[in-house]
Amino acid sequence: METILLRLIALAMAAAFAACATTGGGSGSVPPAESPAPGAATKIHRLSIGRVASVPLSNAEADAILAGATRVLRNRDSGSDVSADVILQRRGDVRVIMGPAVITSQEDYARIGRSGVQIAIVEAVRFCSTTKPGILGCAHIGGSFMALVRRNSLEDIIWAHEFGHNCGLNHRNDPSALLYTEAGASRRSLTGAEARSYETRRAATGSAAIVSSSDESAAGAAPASVGEFLDRVYVHGIPYSHVAGFGQADAARFKAVLVNPARKSQWTNASVALGAIGTPEAVESVRGFVRDGRGRIGHDAYQAKLAAVIGLGYGIRRSGSGKALEQLASGCSVEAWMQDLRWSAPVGSSRGDTARALMAASFSGLALSGTAEAADLLTAAARQPMQEIPLRKHAESALTQLRKVRKEGLRRYTEPRPH
């Protein structure tokens, strides 16, 4: 009886795939070829989903994203693309989970993993093996869960990409690949070996990384132009090497993006690039962008503002930007943020919560700077009174990352790596 029921469900899903567009993919998705019909051998992955209280995600929204991710995996979008005979479905209702709304350390990531869901939706991810601005998702290779943020586009691609890491797959250095380090509507292809990994994935336990020996997790070619950079969607954060080549001559184009609501999807990249440029004028633009706004803001804007603060660390490391260091130093105070902010994070967060998140982002930016001055600031923050224990832990984690930056160098530290 159960086998018959599963086949009926699979046939119903096939009809739904043919009838609807890529709802979870957002604007820019390419029209897929017709999906192969599911059969008795089709692997159905039922995934439990949780969200922190401040991030809305309904059952219907989760189902739409999973259906889109299924199409990404099943469709053959080119002659070299291989179909994975799988269906991704939601198991149970999307439930509210306890844990950090913003992941800033390995400890935060592990706490989210202990919530018991396979897909965890959080406000922001600032740490995935290393600290970087603009991280969209994190999943251990061969692990049991993934942490993701909400976006207005490409959620189906990103969920399928991160689930691939859970299936044991590392990045592949091919711009058409689903497992490329960047997401895109045309980055959907699988090899035969990758398709089989999606099909044969077994339930995993724990949250320890199974580190791959692959050398295909490099950041890929740096962008050739400002326009190319702005259009990129970095799944695991923006590496330093991809913004280090921009200078004062490029600043005006990035500033124009930050004041244009129609280009909201590019705000993260533009703000991080300005932080890396690091001139007083560029830093002031970042400062104005972070403080601009009133009332509740959307998730895309919130993530861009957090990334903007972290990106200032690139400017300090690159050129010793005193203005960027001054901004991050002042950001090590909840009270300083509270005085300037007129906006707050998405549903469920107070202005105080928002100020603390920005303070923790300042810690991350200091970590990326790798300077002795930053180390002194983080050491002082780690000695704050007992009522700020969470922030003390963020400061301690940032100090650990700062030491790694000094040991490895910022370029190598921020390159994508197995996680």
Side-chain angles (χ1 to χ4, degrees):
M1 180 64 71
E2 182 178 357
T3 300
I4 295 173
L5 180 60
L6 289 177
R7 290 182 180 178
L8 289 174
I9 292 173
L11 290 173
M13 288 288 290
F17 298 156
C20 62
T22 310
T23 308
S27 60
S29 294
V30 295
E34 184 177 354
S35 302
T42 300
K43 177 66 175 180
I44 299 176
H45 295 294
R46 293 181 175 82
L47 306 174
S48 57
I49 304 175
R51 62 178 181 84
V52 296
S54 56
V55 183
L57 178 70
S58 67
N59 286 342
E61 289 173 322
D63 290 343
I65 298 169
L66 289 172
T70 296
R71 285 191 294 275
V72 169
L73 296 172
R74 294 186 64 80
N75 292 347
R76 295 190 63 193
D77 298 289
S78 68
S80 60
D81 188 18
V82 177
S83 170
D85 191 11
V86 300
I87 292 175
L88 306 185
Q89 292 180 346
R90 170 173 51 85
R91 176 163 61 84
D93 292 331
V94 176
R95 63 183 179 88
V96 175
I97 58 175
M98 301 299 292
V102 180
I103 295 176
T104 63
S105 65
Q106 182 61 41
E107 181 181 358
D108 287 345
Y109 182 75
R111 284 177 59 199
I112 285 291
R114 290 194 291 271
S115 65
V117 298
Q118 292 159 286
I119 300 176
I121 307 301
V122 297
E123 279 186 20
V125 180
R126 294 208 301 273
F127 178 91
C128 185
S129 296
T130 62
T131 296
K132 281 194 293 292
I135 298 173
L136 303 177
C138 186
H140 279 139
I141 295 175
S144 60
F145 69 96
M146 49 184 163
L148 300 155
V149 300
R150 294 301 312 274
R151 279 181 53 83
N152 290 332
S153 64
L154 299 178
E155 288 188 294
D156 51 0
I157 298 282
I158 294 168
W159 285 33
H161 175 113
E162 292 302 285
F163 185 60
H165 290 321
N166 277 173
C167 291
L169 296 171
N170 200 355
H171 292 143
R172 176 158 58 92
N173 195 17
D174 177 349
S176 70
L178 176 62
L179 273 297
Y180 193 57
T181 57
E182 299 160 22
S186 61
R187 292 186 169 119
R188 311 161 68 94
S189 71
L190 299 174
T191 65
E194 289 169 345
R196 287 190 294 275
S197 291
Y198 278 101
E199 292 166 353
T200 59
R201 186 219 183 212
R202 297 291 184 265
T205 58
S207 60
I210 301 175
V211 178
S212 170
S213 60
S214 170
D215 60 0
E216 295 178 334
S217 58
S225 66
V226 168
E228 181 185 340
F229 169 72
L230 287 171
D231 286 337
R232 291 189 175 186
V233 179
Y234 292 90
V235 180
H236 303 300
I238 301 173
Y240 174 67
S241 62
H242 285 206
V243 293
F246 297 124
Q248 180 59 32
D250 304 306
R253 291 190 63 185
F254 293 127
K255 292 178 185 178
V257 170
L258 293 186
V259 297
N260 186 348
R263 302 184 71 177
K264 187 181 298 185
S265 64
Q266 299 177 337
W267 281 357
T268 292
N269 291 19
S271 64
V272 172
L274 280 170
I277 290 171
T279 62
E281 296 80 8
V283 173
E284 189 58 33
S285 293
V286 172
R287 182 181 185 277
F289 169 70
V290 173
R291 283 165 168 75
D292 186 46
R294 289 183 177 274
R296 298 284 183 189
I297 64 172
H299 292 290
D300 281 3
Y302 180 53
Q303 291 161 30
K305 290 176 187 291
L306 291 176
V309 174
I310 301 170
L312 291 171
Y314 284 170
I316 300 171
R317 186 66 171 178
R318 177 188 180 189
S319 60
S321 172
K323 187 69 173 179
L325 179 60
E326 177 186 329
Q327 178 58 43
L328 291 179
S330 67
C332 290
S333 164
V334 170
E335 291 74 19
W337 285 113
M338 289 287 286
Q339 288 175 4
D340 286 346
L341 287 182
R342 299 294 179 267
W343 59 267
S344 58
V347 180
S349 296
S350 67
R351 283 182 61 242
D353 293 332
T354 301
R356 287 177 176 81
L358 288 164
M359 181 176 174
S362 298
F363 294 162
S364 296
L366 290 169
L368 291 179
S369 78
T371 64
E373 295 89 344
D376 290 341
L377 288 165
L378 291 172
T379 300
R383 296 171 178 168
Q384 289 299 306
M386 291 299 290
Q387 63 266 28
E388 294 293 349
I389 286 177
L391 289 176
R392 287 175 56 189
K393 289 185 177 297
H394 292 326
E396 290 167 359
S397 175
L399 195 55
T400 298
Q401 298 308 310
L402 180 145
R403 295 186 183 111
K404 291 182 179 179
V405 169
R406 297 182 74 165
K407 180 179 179 181
E408 300 180 22
L410 185 55
R411 185 179 298 267
R412 182 169 181 269
Y413 172 85
T414 60
E415 294 293 294
R417 61 184 71 190
H419 54 271

